[in-house]
Amino acid sequence: MQMTLKVPKIHCDGCVSTVESAVRRLAGVQDVSASELSKEVRIEFDPQQVREEEIRKALLLVGYPPA
């Protein structure tokens, strides 16, 4: 499954790295790509291993709440 989240607080390479690392740590996440320009995070994941709410919570915990 794929989803794209808008994350307005992404504004530099450090933000991209933090966001990608936080999401990549979750079991079931197959790919993650954050963009400083679009302020979006694209995530490919297995919904049987990780829920969308868990991904959103991981972003919130590192200070990048999705819109």
Side-chain angles (χ1 to χ4, degrees):
M1 179 175 218
Q2 274 190 331
M3 74 173 177
T4 301
L5 297 172
K6 200 73 159 160
V7 182
K9 291 179 91 177
I10 296 175
H11 66 274
C12 67
D13 287 341
C15 298
V16 168
S17 179
T18 299
V19 164
E20 289 180 348
S21 293
V23 175
R24 196 170 280 123
R25 275 184 239 145
L26 299 170
V29 171
Q30 296 150 346
D31 191 38
V32 58
S33 175
S35 170
E36 164 186 350
L37 295 176
S38 68
K39 301 196 182 306
E40 290 181 338
V41 182
R42 274 180 286 184
I43 304 136
E44 189 174 323
F45 65 100
D46 179 348
Q48 297 205 10
Q49 292 183 24
V50 64
R51 295 185 326 248
E52 183 176 335
E53 298 82 35
E54 293 172 286
I55 295 169
R56 289 178 176 275
K57 184 177 179 182
L59 290 170
L60 183 62
L61 288 173
V62 293
Y64 295 90

